């Protein structure tokens, strides 16, 4: 087991209210595997991963509980200095917005060499050659010359390639990609996903792919975790999640993916909006939007039902939904 | 880049001429004259003065001469300080104003940047509140209150520092502090808000995700962007700094450009006014150009 | 996947101001500033007649036995005992400093407000025109602003006041309004232009244009009202900076003229006697500093209240 997140809770204190952005999230990741985390914006998927990296701005954020076991050690209990040495070296991150995630005042080459000189002890020349090599690997044409440029001289897709080159330059064991394609054009999206997939295979890196787009998850992940209102709603192997979802929310998500083979069907939308995670009632946070909701859903928090040893769902009617889907 | 600098330098010339012309126009349109002072001057002497300074010629000849003087960098002879060339007055007064101005701005930069950055790093801490309250007082306290108050305590009560006049380095301390107070405060506020914005930005998160130590994140990644507002403030600030010098020179009775300028205005000493206005305009414009060039070096996105 | 949230513009319009007011009320420093500004303004307006009624002093009342009762420290009667008669003491001519400070407040606040209004009119007109017309005209107009930024215009103001001033105290005041307004509009023009550019492509302006509303009408009926938030914020911050400029000029003897007085000219008088009678500087100086302090806090608070994004900074 490379990474095991246990009952993670991250809260934000805002204007005297406590926003429970991540509330009791657990999942596991094996070496070489890819885990997809899917959810609407505000579901806590990004916060979960920033918590793993311990990059939550504090205040207002605080890690209220749980464990992040990475390669046998609890990251949340590590001294700051140890954690810092891990970042970029063994766990690397690619962020959503490539336009603002690179330092606009610094040459691309410097932004890349900075990591390897820090973590791998590269000398100036060695780091530079490695940077050029990495840029070539992510498919930047004329890499040696482009390395001297600044981020604003690159297109969005090219910048995301630079981000990936930077993240992978120390051959990390875990890559966290936080919506790596959301800000990009559709054609570029596919290229970037393909690139990450290939590089991952080459380097044997494990990956957490965060996205709101189920389509992205389908082709690239082994397992999927569906998050809603800071909680894990369903966790299953990718194939099974798509064929036999055990949660009404997942079902709704699946139905709202456009089906290219059937253009007459009207696109489904889950009614309503995600809840305010600062004021959740005692019941299921999805109940107000759920097609299957009954009185119990509003009163009692649903159980996390094991449908199979590797398939769990947070729902009072998980079995029924699971069986009905078959 | 070079073309940009040349172009800007070329624009400077007509700009200075416009400023000088406006000033000249104001002087000429105003009622009264140098020699319509309190004491009536005998007509014969007045005629003499008019001839000596070319004031008997038609206005366009005088205007042309003023412009040509400005272009040659020779502003003629002062009316008030008889026989004293304006250029010599400038040469003697400049070091006073320049020393105070430069030292005051350097002090303001040093204190402002350090306290603003620290305040941003410890946002909402007591340090943050204290330095921002101090900055607010600095912005609100006119320097003609700050200066004399400092004099009252440090010179007249505790006899630590000389209260006025131009002398050794000890004479510099109070004027420099008095002049820099407001700029210190402004720079601290700008540095704080600039740093806060940058520290929240995505690229700083990237730098942290790379595993850089916090001090490297700050020095290598955050300072550049965070201090850009301070750089762009520095251009216009100089224009104001010179106004501030006028007041500070008056408080401390210093023989600087500002004091000469005020006296020249009260004495209607046209050549001296024109000389100082032209000179300061050139200095300010060149300083603005330098700030713009520096900005281009700091921010690669800026194109000339 | 989720339905786009439909936002009713009218609802946003009203709740924006309500929200801002709610946030402003929670900002203790800004509320402190607001209260102090109101108190000082009221005191300047109704203070002088009250003092006159109670003690018979006016700002220019010089007691006949002037040689006897001049320059008493605060709260001191002519015989040296404690007294409420001169809360701020007297100046060298025996005039009550409180009465003079209140008069100075009237003049300083008036210069601040009226000059700011002048700068608002110039800045809004210039900025809105440049932003709305766009293209080459905008470029030229903004270039002019850039150029003016780099000119030490206070020198020209000094020349203007030195050569045209001194005719009459009232004329000098008008000269100050015009001169200070004329040099304070640059940033306002930039702010308004930026706002107008971001607004002018929105539907309601396009709709107005499509129905053939004239450019002037669009600018002043539709665009300018919608830039109100930032304009109010910046105007609140312009008032103290203009007051500061005025006080500099008055301190140099170029601003407000006797028998009128402003905080700047009172301070200039006070500086002369700093060694013996420091309260003559401290009373007007500190009153002015407190006022500017409050106005700046109020302006900062308004900015935070009207622009929640900037608040986090």
């Amino acid at each position: 087991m490379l990474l095991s997140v246990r009952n993670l809770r991250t809260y934000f204190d805002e204007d005297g209210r406590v926003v429970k952005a991540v509330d009791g999230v657990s999942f596991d990741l094996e070496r070489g595997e890819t885990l997809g985390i899917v959810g609407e914006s505000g579901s806590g998927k990004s916060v979960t991963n920033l918590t793993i990296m311990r990059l939550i701005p504090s205040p207002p954020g605080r890690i209220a509980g749980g464990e992040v076991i990475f390669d046998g050690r609890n990251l949340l209990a590590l001294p700051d200095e140890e954690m810092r040495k891990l970042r970029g070296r063994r766990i690397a991150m690619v962020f959503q917005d490539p336009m603002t995630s690179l330092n606009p005042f610094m040459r691309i080459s410097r932004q890349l060499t900075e990591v390897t000189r820090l973590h791998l002890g590269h000398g100036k020349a060695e780091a530079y050659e490695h940077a050029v090599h990495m840029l070539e690997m992510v498919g930047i044409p004329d890499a040696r010359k482009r390395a001297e440029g600044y981020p604003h001289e690159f297109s969005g897709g090219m910048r995301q390639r630079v981000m990936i080159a930077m993240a992978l330059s120390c051959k990390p064991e875990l890559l966290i990609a936080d919506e790596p394609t959301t800000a990009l054009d559709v054609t570029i999206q596919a290229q970037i996903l393909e690139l990450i997939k290939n590089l991952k295979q080459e380097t044997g890196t494990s990956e957490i792919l965060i996205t709101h787009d189920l389509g992205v998850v389908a082709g690239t992940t082994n397992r999927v975790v569906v998050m809603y209102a800071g909680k894990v709603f369903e966790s299953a192997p990718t194939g099974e999640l798509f064929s036999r979802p055990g949660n009404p929310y997942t079902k709704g998500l699946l139905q709202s993916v456009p089906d290219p083979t059937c253009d007459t069907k009207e696109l489904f939308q889950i009614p309503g909006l995600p809840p305010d995670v600062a004021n959740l009632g005692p019941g299921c946070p999805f109940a107000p939007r759920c097609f299957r909701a009954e009185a119990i859903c509003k009163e009692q928090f649903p159980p996390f039902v094991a449908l199979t040893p590797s398939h769990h769902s947070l729902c009072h009617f998980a079995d029924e939904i699971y069986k009905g889907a078959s | 880049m070079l073309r940009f600098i040349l172009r800007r330098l070329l624009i400077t010339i007509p700009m200075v001429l416009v400023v000088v012309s406006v000033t000249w126009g104001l002087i000429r349109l105003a009622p009264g004259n140098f020699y319509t002072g309190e004491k009536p001057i005998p007509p014969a002497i007045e005629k003499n003065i008019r001839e000596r300074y070319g004031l008997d010629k038609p206005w366009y000849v005088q205007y042309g001469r003023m412009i040509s003087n400005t272009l040659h960098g020779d502003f003629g002879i002062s009316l008030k300080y008889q026989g004293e060339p304006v250029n010599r007055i400038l040469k003697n007064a400049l070091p006073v104003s320049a020393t105070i101005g430069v030292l005051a701005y350097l002090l303001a930069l040093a204190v402002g940047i350090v306290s603003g950055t620290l305040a941003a790093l410890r946002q909402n801490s007591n340090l943050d509140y204290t330095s921002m309250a101090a900055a607010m007082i600095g912005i609100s306290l006119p320097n003609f209150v700050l200066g004399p108050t400092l004099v009252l305590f440090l010179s007249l009560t505790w006899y630590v520092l000389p209260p006025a006049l131009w002398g050794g380095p000890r004479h510099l301390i109070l004027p420099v502090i008095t002049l820099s107070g407001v700029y210190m405060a402004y720079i601290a506020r700008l540095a704080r808000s600039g740093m806060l914005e940058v520290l929240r930005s995505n690229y700083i998160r990237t730098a942290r995700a790379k595993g850089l130590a916090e001090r490297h994140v700050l020095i290598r990644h955050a300072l550049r962007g965070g201090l850009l507002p301070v750089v762009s403030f520095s251009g216009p600030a100089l224009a104001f700094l010179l106004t501030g010098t006028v007041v500070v020179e008056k408080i401390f009775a210093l023989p600087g450009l500002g004091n000469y300028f005020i006296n020249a205005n009260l004495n209607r000493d046209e050549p001296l006014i024109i000389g100082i206005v032209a000179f300061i305009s050139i200095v300010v414009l060149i300083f603005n150009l330098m700030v713009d060039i520096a900005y281009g070096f700091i921010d690669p996105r800026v194109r000339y | 996947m989720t339905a786009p949230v439909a936002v009713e513009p009218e609802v946003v319009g009203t709740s924006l101001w309500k929200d801002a007011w709610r946030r402003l009320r929670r900002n203790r420093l800004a509320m402190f500033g607001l209260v102090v500004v109101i108190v000082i303004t009221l005191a300047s307006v109704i203070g002088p007649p009250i003092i006159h009624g109670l003690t018979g002093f006016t700002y220019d009342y010089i007691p006949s036995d002037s040689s006897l009762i001049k320059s008493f420290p605060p709260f001191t009667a002519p015989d040296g005992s404690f007294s409420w008669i001169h809360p701020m003491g007297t100046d060298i001519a025996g005039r009550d400093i409180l009465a003079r400070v209140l008069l100075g407040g009237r003049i300083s606040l008036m210069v601040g407000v009226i000059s700011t209004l002048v700068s608002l009119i110039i800045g809004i007109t210039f900025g809105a025109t440049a932003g709305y017309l766009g293209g080459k005209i905008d470029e030229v107009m903004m270039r002019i602003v850039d150029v003016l930024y780099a000119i030490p215009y206070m020198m020209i103001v000094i020349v203007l006041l030195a050569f045209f001033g001194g005719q009459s105290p009232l004329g000098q005041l008008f000269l100050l309004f015009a001169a200070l307004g004329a040099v304070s509009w640059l940033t306002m023009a930039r702010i308004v232009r930026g706002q107008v550019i971001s607004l002018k492509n929105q539907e309601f302006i396009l709709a107005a244009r499509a129905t053939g509303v004239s450019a002037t009408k669009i600018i002043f009926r539709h665009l300018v009202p919608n830039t109100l938030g930032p304009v109010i914020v910046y105007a609140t911050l312009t008032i103290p900076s203009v007051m500061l400029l005025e006080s500099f000029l008055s301190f140099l003897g170029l601003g407000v003229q006797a028998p009128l007085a402003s905080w700047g000219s009172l301070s200039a008088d006070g500086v002369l006697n700093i060694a013996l009678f420091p309260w003559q500087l401290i009373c007007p100086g500190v009153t002015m500093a407190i006022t500017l302090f409050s106005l700046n806090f109020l302006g900062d608070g308004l900015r935070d209240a009207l622009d929640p994004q900037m608040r986090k900074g």
Side-chain angles (χ1 to χ4, degrees), chain C residues 294-310:
Chain C
S294 308
L295 278 166
N296 280 323
F297 267 129
L298 180 61
D300 273 13
L302 276 175
R303 187 189 53 207
D304 296 348
L306 282 166
D307 191 349
Q309 266 99 54
M310 275 168 84

Side-chain angles (χ1 to χ4, degrees), chain B residues 127-141:
Chain B
L127 178 87
D128 183 18
Y129 293 140
T130 320
S131 55
M132 284 308 112
M136 197 52 120
I137 292 173
I139 287 174
S140 308
L141 196 64

